[in-house]
Amino acid sequence: MKPHATPLSRDAGDDPVAARADAQGAAGPMAAQPPVPASAPAQENAMGRSHPHESARAQVAGLAHYIDDLPELKGTLYAAPILSPVAHGRLNAVRTDAALSLPGVRGVVLAADVPGDKLLAAFAHDEPVFAIDTVQHVGQVVGLVVAESVMQARRAARLVTLDITPLPAVLTVQDALAQASYVLPPVFVRRGDAPAALARAPHRLQGAFEVGGQEHFYLEGQIAYAVPLEQRQWSIHSSTQHPGEVQHWVAHALGLDNHAVRVECRRMGGGFGGKETQAGHLAVWAAVAAHKLGRPVKLRLDREDDFMVTGKRHPFAYEYDVGYGDDGRITGLKLQMAANCGFSADLSGPVADRAVFHADNAYFLEDVEIASYRCKTNTQSHTAFRGFGGPQGVIVIEAILGDIARALGRDALDVRLANLYGTTDRNVTHYQMPVEDNILHDLLPELEQTAQYRQRQAAISAWNADSPVLKRGLALTPVKFGISFTATLFNQAGALVHVYTDGSVQVNHGGTEMGQGLHTKVAQIVADELGVPMARVLVTASDTAKVPNASATAASSGTDLNGRAAQFAARHVRDNLAAFVCGLDGCGAGSIRFAGGRVISPTQERDWDEVVKAAYANRIQLWSDGFYRTPKIHYDKATLTGRPFYYFAYGAACTEVAIDTLTGESRVLAVDILHDVGRSINPAIDIGQIEGGFVQGMGWLTTEQLVWNDKGVLSTHAPSTYKIPATGDVPARFKVDLWHEANREDNVGGSKAVGEPPFMLAISVYEALRNAVAAARGGDAPVQLQAPATAENVLRALGRLG
């Protein structure tokens, strides 16, 4: 199957609305051409085609600017953080004399120097700007040293001594549960009667396992540049997924109204969720320092400090009790999910909620009881990461189904198929949302066939029988991922479209570019709406002074929200021009077409540029705003019920692995993916997101191990000890196909979100590894493989390491 590229089908109701300008009698000079024959070839749309990323050439040439590349104003100072060496303690004193005596050092910034609220403007209001009376994790920022150069600041920061009286630290989820140490209250979701269902189940299994966190490891580290302007106004350059929140946080810390702070971000060198909230810390710290010293301040964390300061993907611990029938269909489930949230709430509430929402993955759970604990530990405050709790929900149900299949001696794919949501019944989630767009009954059998799943399973069984040391495993797992912010208020977006008198088009929207191709897709959408070549459209830097109150670029909704808002803004301009032209040609506005850089009426064909010039001469508005709010969604936070998602994105992956039973080493040998992106706006970008998401998920589950020692120190705090996948880890066979169906909901261009769902395809790697372990070990007992499946954890699962 090849990536499809269906031409844009306009949404129902696309006929132009009432024009914003009166074109009656307008008669500017325009070159007109004879009517276009009905058989004239249609212009090829920008959407549905694999246009290069809008910054690709600049990035390859080293000409794409990131914040550290921007010209610095005269007088710019540089900050470095003062970090706590203790996991939990009473902060008695900060001794700065040695640091201040170094050449070039201009000052030290502490909690007392924050002019506004000394707590960050996070929703839980539980995290200080700088440590005040206590420190709560190794790496917590106590203050900054500010100097004339980066290295002067970093050297001086190491000379600051902290007088800390140690206090007992909570370092594990198990300790947090024992002490009822939570950043937020536990949440419970129930449907039916799980205890009764378990009691009458023909078969029953219990189990427990853990999955680790994950470092974001963005190529561009956390950075902010704060510039004080006149009259208590501020310019902030921030590598952030959420400029609006950075604006609010900085204003809050400085004691200002939001309108006094302008935040810009042209692009990030990766984000993955790590710059959704935690970029705000850097901006606030730099702004407070700039406020104290009256000069611009840049703060860029080095890689090691970035590891020690910032939060990770939430580690989870699970306990489950499941009942099931002879066919493997689940009849009852009790599930405990405990999230290690770190020392403050950050985004742990919605992350843990989404884990609850995705604990079903693609499967109907009739009698179910889920307990979700949001544990407070003395580690970095964990935060958003691609999937936002979804992966931690999906993996537990996939592990349960794998154990059920093993206990019954059935193929795991058959057990998964038996548990799928139905199309007419068994189709309501445990949070009361109907599953109306389920394509897995068609998608899974197609991948089963194209990947030759059954034949390969038989071949692997035969191969394992003759291979005493190396063992192979194969798994095919699906994904059903909900698309929308679970916090309903964030499902809104705005955009501006400006058409200049030369016919060129500029777009600004509330989303941010972090390499995922959002600006490219938005440019494609606007180009098609106006009927101009994509080269005429330029998307500019995200800027709170242009589009206010924008939501974070997160939840895989960047294109859904901002692309639709930009489409609506372009449509308003198009309607103005259509009304103007129909006034000239005496026709209805609905009969005007825009395509191929031409404006076509039933009687005349005109060049786009000429129409724009004439419209300007006749005082027709050539710019507009657009606003979009996601329809249909609603959600009760108290009961975790409703319709939190506009639609689901689906996919499946078939993965083959091999393990060395003597060393515990493993390798991914082959991957076949069939993924649902709706009608793809840009197939090349979408396939890139699928490949990248899969490999990142593979890293989470195989090599990326975060280790805190018994003092609360993150031991894996550099590339030397923390291992992300490299090019050599990409499987030799890596086949990605796109599902052929458009989104059944009215989404922009018929597309679906693609940022996060592919990440969970990598759970097939984990299940394949467990199957390889089972082949080596024999028997039908559950395989307890802790994730990530490092060599040590594989050996433990094999029973060869204590």
Side-chain angles (χ1 to χ4, degrees), residues 157-168:
R158 294 186 178 96
L159 295 180
V160 174
T161 57
L162 305 177
D163 182 352
I164 298 173
T165 302
L167 296 171

Side-chain angles (χ1 to χ4, degrees), residues 428-630:
V428 178
T429 68
H430 56 293
Y431 49 91
Q432 305 305 313
M433 177 175 170
V435 180
E436 301 169 331
D437 59 355
N438 190 359
I439 62 174
L440 287 173
H441 289 277
D442 297 321
L443 187 150
L444 280 171
E446 183 163 331
L447 181 61
E448 176 189 346
Q449 182 178 9
T450 58
Q452 298 184 306
Y453 174 79
R454 304 288 178 178
Q455 299 92 317
R456 289 166 66 191
Q457 280 283 37
I460 287 170
S461 295
W463 192 90
N464 283 339
D466 293 332
S467 177
V469 174
L470 300 181
K471 298 292 183 180
R472 292 190 178 188
L474 184 72
L476 196 162
T477 61
V479 169
K480 173 184 71 68
F481 189 78
I483 304 298
S484 290
F485 288 97
T486 53
T488 305
L489 77 163
F490 293 134
N491 294 288
Q492 58 176 298
L496 297 172
V497 170
H498 298 166
V499 176
Y500 293 94
T501 55
D502 65 352
S504 63
V505 182
Q506 185 186 92
V507 184
N508 191 271
H509 60 85
T512 55
E513 176 63 51
M514 62 196 88
Q516 84 280 37
L518 173 60
H519 286 354
T520 307
K521 288 187 175 182
V522 170
Q524 290 176 264
I525 292 165
V526 170
D528 278 358
E529 196 66 28
L530 297 177
V532 300
M534 187 177 163
R536 302 303 303 280
V537 181
L538 175 68
V539 181
T540 59
S542 308
D543 186 341
T544 58
K546 292 186 175 180
V547 176
N549 311 318
S551 299
T553 304
S556 300
S557 60
T559 302
D560 289 7
L561 295 174
N562 299 286
R564 191 63 122 182
Q567 185 182 48
F568 286 171
R571 187 171 298 173
H572 293 323
V573 176
R574 185 194 71 187
D575 291 344
N576 291 347
L577 291 172
F580 169 59
V581 171
C582 78
L584 296 177
D585 292 356
C587 60
S591 65
I592 308 299
R593 294 192 300 117
F594 295 77
R598 312 291 287 176
V599 181
I600 305 158
S601 80
T603 60
Q604 302 289 340
E605 178 180 342
R606 300 173 173 90
D607 184 74
W608 161 265
D609 292 357
E610 293 301 318
V611 171
V612 168
K613 289 175 184 176
Y616 172 75
N618 283 269
R619 296 180 295 174
I620 304 300
Q621 182 177 329
L622 296 175
W623 62 271
S624 188
D625 63 302
F627 180 79
Y628 175 69
R629 50 181 286 179
T630 308

Side-chain angles (χ1 to χ4, degrees), residues 32-387:
Q33 297 181 6
V36 180
S39 60
Q43 167 66 21
E44 197 170 56
N45 290 321
M47 295 169 67
R49 295 179 58 79
S50 293
H51 290 276
H53 190 287
E54 51 89 21
S55 295
R57 290 182 181 275
Q59 286 167 320
V60 170
L63 299 176
H65 289 175
Y66 297 86
I67 290 176
D68 216 22
D69 301 316
L70 298 177
E72 295 168 357
L73 294 176
K74 183 179 179 180
T76 294
L77 299 174
Y78 305 89
I82 303 164
L83 305 182
S84 168
V86 175
H88 190 206
R90 186 175 298 108
L91 181 61
N92 303 313
V94 181
R95 298 190 173 91
T96 62
D97 291 350
L100 290 171
S101 68
L102 285 186
V105 174
R106 293 292 171 261
V108 172
V109 182
L110 302 172
D113 297 309
V114 179
D117 192 340
K118 290 176 173 49
L119 296 180
L120 292 167
F123 83 97
H125 207 233
D126 62 346
E127 186 173 351
V129 175
F130 298 116
I132 302 173
D133 301 317
T134 60
V135 293
Q136 299 193 65
H137 75 91
V138 175
Q140 183 174 0
V141 176
V142 175
L144 303 175
V145 173
V146 185
E148 295 286 348
S149 76
V150 172
M151 296 313 298
Q152 286 173 335
R154 290 178 179 174
R155 281 193 290 268
R158 294 186 178 96
L159 295 180
V160 174
T161 57
L162 305 177
D163 182 352
I164 298 173
T165 302
L167 296 171
V170 177
L171 298 178
T172 68
V173 164
Q174 290 73 23
D175 288 344
L177 289 170
Q179 299 178 35
S181 174
Y182 307 129
V183 296
L184 295 166
V187 169
F188 303 93
V189 175
R190 300 178 179 89
R191 177 167 67 177
D193 189 342
L198 288 168
R200 62 175 181 265
H203 307 280
R204 196 164 171 177
L205 269 180
Q206 293 84 33
F209 70 103
E210 297 185 14
V211 296
Q214 187 176 25
E215 166 64 30
H216 299 88
F217 219 107
Y218 22 63
L219 288 178
E220 177 201 32
Q222 298 277 6
I223 185 171
Y225 183 35
V227 180
L229 306 174
E230 63 173 74
Q231 301 181 70
R232 303 181 72 212
Q233 296 175 50
W234 288 80
S235 173
I236 307 291
H237 293 279
S238 174
S239 182
T240 177
Q241 296 173 232
H242 199 175
E245 184 167 78
V246 171
Q247 177 192 41
H248 174 52
W249 281 26
V250 169
H252 186 79
L254 296 181
L256 302 171
D257 290 332
N258 286 358
H259 68 199
V261 179
R262 177 182 184 181
V263 179
E264 294 179 76
C265 178
R266 173 58 183 90
R267 63 174 59 84
M268 288 162 275
F272 308 117
K275 297 176 180 177
E276 184 172 345
T277 59
Q278 301 208 353
H281 298 68
L282 276 284
V284 168
W285 296 334
V288 170
H291 176 271
K292 177 176 181 177
L293 298 169
R295 291 167 64 177
V297 171
K298 179 187 283 188
L299 172 56
R300 174 174 57 82
L301 298 182
D302 69 17
R303 183 65 65 181
E304 185 167 329
D305 285 349
D306 205 316
F307 264 85
M308 300 302 293
V309 170
T310 63
K312 324 297 177 193
R313 181 185 298 279
H314 290 67
F316 267 59
Y318 310 94
E319 295 180 6
Y320 68 85
D321 187 350
V322 63
Y324 54 96
D326 292 340
D327 60 353
R329 180 176 282 188
I330 291 174
T331 58
L333 174 64
K334 288 187 69 174
L335 173 63
Q336 176 180 294
M337 311 170 77
N340 183 340
C341 301
F343 82 97
S344 70
D346 194 86
L347 293 171
S348 296
V351 166
D353 288 350
R354 189 172 275 265
V356 171
F357 289 140
H358 287 79
D360 60 341
N361 190 21
Y363 312 111
F364 179 72
L365 303 175
E366 187 166 9
D367 292 283
V368 59
E369 183 176 305
I370 301 175
S372 172
Y373 294 93
R374 294 93 197 272
C375 299
K376 180 175 181 176
T377 59
N378 292 113
T379 64
Q380 294 85 344
S381 185
H382 299 309
T383 189
F385 201 130
R386 195 176 198 165

Side-chain angles (χ1 to χ4, degrees), residues 578-777:
F580 169 59
V581 171
C582 78
L584 296 177
D585 292 356
C587 60
S591 65
I592 308 299
R593 294 192 300 117
F594 295 77
R598 312 291 287 176
V599 181
I600 305 158
S601 80
T603 60
Q604 302 289 340
E605 178 180 342
R606 300 173 173 90
D607 184 74
W608 161 265
D609 292 357
E610 293 301 318
V611 171
V612 168
K613 289 175 184 176
Y616 172 75
N618 283 269
R619 296 180 295 174
I620 304 300
Q621 182 177 329
L622 296 175
W623 62 271
S624 188
D625 63 302
F627 180 79
Y628 175 69
R629 50 181 286 179
T630 308
K632 297 187 178 182
I633 54 176
H634 57 88
Y635 163 51
D636 184 336
K637 290 190 293 185
T639 61
L640 260 68
T641 59
R643 178 175 176 162
F645 308 120
Y646 185 32
Y647 63 86
F648 294 104
Y650 298 91
C654 180
T655 297
E656 182 177 345
V657 303
I659 63 171
D660 184 324
T661 59
L662 299 181
T663 66
E665 293 173 286
S666 66
R667 180 170 292 278
V668 177
L669 303 175
V671 176
D672 292 79
I673 290 172
L674 181 55
H675 195 72
D676 165 36
V677 300
R679 182 183 293 125
S680 178
I681 293 173
N682 189 313
I685 284 177
D686 287 346
I687 290 173
Q689 286 290 294
I690 294 166
E691 292 172 341
F694 183 92
V695 171
Q696 191 173 49
M698 182 178 77
W700 171 52
L701 294 172
T702 57
T703 62
E704 298 185 44
Q705 186 173 31
L706 294 165
V707 178
W708 284 268
N709 68 19
D710 59 1
K711 303 295 183 184
V713 178
L714 179 62
S715 301
T716 51
H717 54 71
S720 58
T721 51
Y722 185 84
K723 298 300 183 181
I724 64 173
T727 54
D729 297 306
V730 176
R733 174 184 170 87
F734 197 172
K735 183 173 180 284
V736 177
D737 289 321
L738 301 183
W739 184 248
H740 52 76
E741 185 179 349
N743 194 335
R744 297 180 188 178
E745 294 292 347
D746 181 21
N747 203 46
V748 61
S751 66
K752 284 191 176 184
V754 71
E756 292 173 299
F759 184 94
M760 283 146 284
L761 296 172
I763 291 170
S764 61
V765 175
Y766 176 74
E767 284 300 287
L769 288 168
R770 294 208 309 148
N771 289 340
V773 169
R777 205 183 58 183

